[in-house]
């Protein structure tokens, strides 16, 4: 301890005194006196004496420590625990280096840990992505526009996914066919849900198209906005709203690739548009083979309206081979230079070869030959107006290829039947039987003149008539049409039998899966437009 009583100031020098010796502090060289150990400090505390002079000390001088550890007041004699760290022995260290063993317990642990880390990284970034790709189930849109059945506007459909609408009346569940066989309902849609949307992905069975139907030079653009449900009815609207450079906007609804049928009875209760005595509108209720999509020309090229399962000249472009048969070049219309057919040939014919360069989706018959495929057409109705009587009428027809010479199908009493001869305006055969792109077997029936929307302000106040057709597929089949709930006419497969003049075989009643189409448009190719005023 330093006592205040032993401290005095003088104008000459300051000294720190050991009990044995005195060393001046303010020298240029470091002090050489031994520092006091803790023990000696306890035993004999230092004292400070003064002389006649006083000097100021710098910090470095005041707290200066000798470079010699011997003067620090600690014992350095004898070995210390860490001597081996700073006292190397070359001989000893050489022996240890030569005797090194890599396969020690610690080494194995280190290498094993690294190996486990590498394997985990490989599993995380290589194995797991592959497993998740091959094992996880594919996302399902549930018939919707996006995952989970969500449509383009974020809506989820709230519709029954059963084929038979729960609102279907009980009397419609069964029916007796024209041939006496019992028929069971397999699909129905009553359109009772208000405000349904038929944009792509919005409905499990229907889709409204957003296209221009250019094949028939239509004057309207088909827009999904023109089709909805209201007051328990499906409403298709044709308006004079310009769209996509066209003057009108209409609607086309189809079940393509969603619901198909083969054989049976197809019908709907319909209120036709406009007035029965005003021509120009083109409403249609029809079916088409699912291999062709209505309005998409590339899918119909070489497909529509073929219903043919023979390998002969009928499958070839223009129904000719090296200019034969000659009648195929002379029995057409004057505007086609008398050529019978402009079709490019049946794309999926029985003549398809079984080689990698040929494509045919099948199936094959028992002999291993491909079955001829196509996209035939059967129309429930295309509405028209009889100009002399100003009477609303319907074309009920089937479209075929290849063609008979002069488009003359075999229309004898054994091949077709007219059923409503006692009706006020009975059904008769259509004078139009075809052109360079199609052959038609068509009957003209009379519609219910009261069941037109022009005479009814709202859908619920209107009159609805049943229109449909029943058909049995194959070479012994038939198609029978219905208008206003009555049978109108029937064509039998024999009417589409072989024609040796153009060297073609039978065209069977369509065996293709067919889908349903409803549309409302306008085209000068179908009927001249008239004003309501």
């Amino acid at each position: 301890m330093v006592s205040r009583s032993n401290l005095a100031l003088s104008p000459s020098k300051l000294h720190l005194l050991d009990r044995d010796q005195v060393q001046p502090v303010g020298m240029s060289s470091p002090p050489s006196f031994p520092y006091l150990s803790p023990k000696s400090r306890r035993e004999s505390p230092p004292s400070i004496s003064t002389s006649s002079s006083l000097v100021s000390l710098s910090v470095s001088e005041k707290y200066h420590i000798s470079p010699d550890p011997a003067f620090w007041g600690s014992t350095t004699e004898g070995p210390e625990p860490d001597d081996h760290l700073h006292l190397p022995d070359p001989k000893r260290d050489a022996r240890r280096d030569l005797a090194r063993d890599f396969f020690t317990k610690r080494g194995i642990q280190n290498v094993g840990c690294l190996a486990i880390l590498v394997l985990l990284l490989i599993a995380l970034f290589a194995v797991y992505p592959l497993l998740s790709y091959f094992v996880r189930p594919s996302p399902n849109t549930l018939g919707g526009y996006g995952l989970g059945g969500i449509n383009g506007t974020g809506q989820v459909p709230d519709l029954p996914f059963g084929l038979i609408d729960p609102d279907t009346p009980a009397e419609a569940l069964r029916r007796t066919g024209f041939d006496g066989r019992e028929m069971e309902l397999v699909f129905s849609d009553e359109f009772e849900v208000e405000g349904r949307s038929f944009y792509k992905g919005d409905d499990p069975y229907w889709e409204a198209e957003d296209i221009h139907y250019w094949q028939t030079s239509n004057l309207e653009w088909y827009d999904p906005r023109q089709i909805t449900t209201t007051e328990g009815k499906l409403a298709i609207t044709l308006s004079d709203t310009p769209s996509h450079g066209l003057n009108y906007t209409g609607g086309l609804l189809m079940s393509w690739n969603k619901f198909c049928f083969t054989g049976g009875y197809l019908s709907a209760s319909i209120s036709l548009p406009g007035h029965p005595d005003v021509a120009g509108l083109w409403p249609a209720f029809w079916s088409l083979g699912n291999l062709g999509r209505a309005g998409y020309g590339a899918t119909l090229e070489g497909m529509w309206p073929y219903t043919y399962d023979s390998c002969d000249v009928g499958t070839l472009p223009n129904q000719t081979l090296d200019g034969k048969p000659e009648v195929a070049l002379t029995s057409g219309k004057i505007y086609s230079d008398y050529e019978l057919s402009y079709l490019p040939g049946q794309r999926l014919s029985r003549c398809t070869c079984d080689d990698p360069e040929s494509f045919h989706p099948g199936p094959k018959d028992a002999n291993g030959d491909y079955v001829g495929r196509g996209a035939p057409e059967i129309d429930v109705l295309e509405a028209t107006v009889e100009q002399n009587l100003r009477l609303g009428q319907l074309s009920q027809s089937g479209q075929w290829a290849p063609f008979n010479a002069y488009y003359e199908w075999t229309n004898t009493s054994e091949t077709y039947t007219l059923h409503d001869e006692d009706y006020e305006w009975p059904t008769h055969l259509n004078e139009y039987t075809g052109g360079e792109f199609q052959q038609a077997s068509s009957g003209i029936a009379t519609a219910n003149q009261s069941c037109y929307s022009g005479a009814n302000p709202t859908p619920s106040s209107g009159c609805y008539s049943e229109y449909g057709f029943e058909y049995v597929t194959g070479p012994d089949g038939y198609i029978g049409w219905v208008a206003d709930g009555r049978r109108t006419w029937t064509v039998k497969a024999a009417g589409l039998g072989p024609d040796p003049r153009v060297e073609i075989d039978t065209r069977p009643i369509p065996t293709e899966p067919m889908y349903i189409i409803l549309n409302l448009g306008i085209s000068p190719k179908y009927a001249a437009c008239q004003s309501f005023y």
Side-chain angles (χ1 to χ4, degrees):
M1 299 290 291
V2 178
S3 172
R4 294 177 64 89
S5 62
N6 294 329
L7 180 61
L9 296 176
S10 77
S12 57
K13 296 180 181 179
L14 177 66
H15 294 89
L16 182 64
L17 302 178
D18 195 345
R19 62 181 177 179
D20 294 328
Q21 63 180 10
V22 176
Q23 174 69 28
V25 176
M27 297 185 298
S28 59
S29 61
S32 59
F33 59 85
Y35 278 67
L36 301 178
S37 67
K39 180 178 180 181
S40 62
R41 289 178 181 177
R42 290 192 299 270
E43 293 176 351
S44 177
S47 62
I48 299 178
S49 173
T50 64
S51 65
S52 60
S53 63
L54 181 64
V55 66
S56 298
L57 300 179
S58 66
V59 175
S60 60
E61 290 174 333
K62 185 176 180 180
Y63 296 102
H64 186 82
I65 299 176
S66 173
D68 186 356
F71 295 99
W72 292 357
S74 60
T75 302
T76 59
E77 292 81 4
E80 297 180 353
D82 60 346
D83 285 348
H84 68 284
L85 298 176
H86 50 79
L87 295 175
D89 185 344
K91 293 182 180 181
R92 180 197 64 197
D93 296 341
R95 288 194 302 270
R96 289 180 177 178
D97 291 342
L98 293 175
R100 182 176 296 169
D101 187 2
F102 291 98
F103 297 99
T104 63
K105 180 179 179 181
R106 183 175 181 180
I108 293 174
Q109 290 175 343
N110 291 339
V111 174
C113 183
L114 291 175
I116 292 173
L117 289 175
V118 170
L119 291 176
L120 289 175
L121 289 173
I122 294 174
L124 178 62
F125 295 106
V127 178
Y128 175 73
L130 291 174
L131 288 176
S132 62
Y133 176 79
F134 289 106
V135 174
R136 68 181 180 184
S138 300
N140 188 357
T141 64
L142 302 176
Y145 181 81
L147 295 179
I150 302 173
N151 66 13
T153 60
Q155 297 172 321
V156 178
D158 184 18
L159 296 173
F161 282 86
L163 288 171
I164 300 177
D165 193 319
D167 294 319
T168 302
E171 59 269 20
L173 299 179
R174 293 188 177 276
R175 176 181 177 275
T176 301
F178 298 150
D179 57 1
R181 291 184 296 180
E182 289 296 318
M183 308 176 75
E184 182 177 350
L185 185 67
V186 295
F187 174 77
S188 66
D189 197 333
E190 301 297 325
F191 302 108
E192 291 290 342
V193 177
E194 188 75 11
R196 282 170 61 179
S197 170
F198 298 99
Y199 280 86
K200 181 179 180 181
D202 284 4
D203 195 274
Y205 304 119
W206 303 102
E207 182 175 328
E209 295 298 329
D210 192 8
I211 59 172
H212 175 223
Y213 206 94
W214 54 268
Q215 294 93 332
T216 50
S217 302
N218 283 37
L219 302 179
E220 81 289 338
W221 181 270
Y222 283 133
D223 193 315
R225 293 178 300 176
Q226 301 297 101
I227 306 178
T228 187
T229 53
T230 178
E231 299 182 22
K233 310 294 188 296
L234 174 71
I236 304 178
T237 303
L238 177 68
S239 66
D240 58 354
T241 304
S243 179
H244 296 77
L246 301 170
N247 293 330
Y248 303 93
T249 306
L252 184 152
L253 184 69
M254 63 172 69
S255 68
W256 175 80
N257 242 24
K258 296 176 180 290
F259 173 76
C260 297
F261 62 99
T262 304
Y265 180 65
L266 171 66
S267 70
S269 295
I270 297 176
S271 178
L272 295 170
H275 296 265
D277 57 347
V278 178
L281 301 180
W282 192 357
F285 174 32
W286 49 301
S287 63
L288 191 67
N290 197 63
L291 290 178
R293 186 177 182 182
Y296 293 78
T299 70
L300 301 170
E301 188 80 1
M303 303 297 295
W304 175 84
Y306 281 98
T307 174
Y308 204 53
D309 191 26
S310 298
C311 182
D312 54 36
V313 71
T315 68
L316 300 180
N318 310 112
Q319 289 186 219
T320 60
L321 178 62
D322 298 330
K324 303 292 184 180
E326 293 183 2
V327 69
L329 301 174
T330 60
S331 59
K333 303 290 186 179
I334 186 172
Y335 50 77
S336 62
D337 199 22
Y338 297 102
E339 291 187 19
L340 184 65
S341 173
Y342 278 2
L343 293 180
Q346 188 177 10
R347 190 192 305 180
L348 304 176
S349 74
R350 178 171 279 273
C351 302
T352 304
C353 298
D354 196 3
D355 59 61
E357 296 183 358
S358 301
F359 171 77
H360 195 296
K364 294 182 178 180
D365 62 15
N367 297 324
D369 297 324
Y370 283 109
V371 175
R373 304 289 301 277
E377 176 183 338
I378 305 177
D379 298 338
V380 176
L381 67 86
E382 291 178 285
T384 184
V385 176
E386 205 286 328
Q387 294 298 315
N388 295 324
L389 298 175
R390 311 297 292 175
L391 189 68
Q393 294 184 326
L394 315 165
S395 170
Q396 299 184 301
S397 65
Q399 323 291 328
W400 330 111
F403 312 150
N404 292 84
Y406 304 99
Y407 312 108
E408 295 174 348
W409 60 279
T410 309
N411 53 359
T412 66
S413 59
E414 296 179 352
T415 61
Y416 81 96
T417 305
L418 300 176
H419 299 285
D420 60 352
E421 294 179 344
D422 295 333
Y423 189 67
E424 183 178 4
W425 296 289
T427 302
H428 61 273
L429 294 182
N430 195 343
E431 294 180 358
Y432 175 80
T433 57
E436 66 273 23
F437 290 109
Q438 65 179 357
Q439 180 173 342
S441 300
S442 174
I444 299 297
T446 303
N448 186 326
Q449 306 301 291
S450 300
C451 294
Y452 280 77
S453 63
N456 304 290
T458 63
S460 61
S461 65
C463 164
Y464 291 82
S465 291
E466 179 187 354
Y467 301 98
F469 68 77
E470 176 183 312
Y471 79 115
V472 175
T473 65
D476 299 322
Y478 65 85
I479 307 174
W481 283 268
V482 172
D484 195 25
R486 71 183 189 280
R487 291 184 67 182
T488 52
W489 81 290
T490 299
V491 62
K492 301 176 183 177
L496 306 173
D499 188 343
R501 296 173 296 176
V502 288
E503 302 176 12
I504 64 171
D505 206 344
T506 298
R507 288 136 299 169
I509 300 298
T511 58
E512 289 289 335
M514 310 286 282
Y515 64 97
I516 308 168
I517 308 170
L518 299 105
N519 64 284
L520 175 57
I522 184 171
S523 172
K525 278 196 171 183
Y526 182 72
C529 298
Q530 292 178 273
S531 172
F532 287 97
Y533 307 104

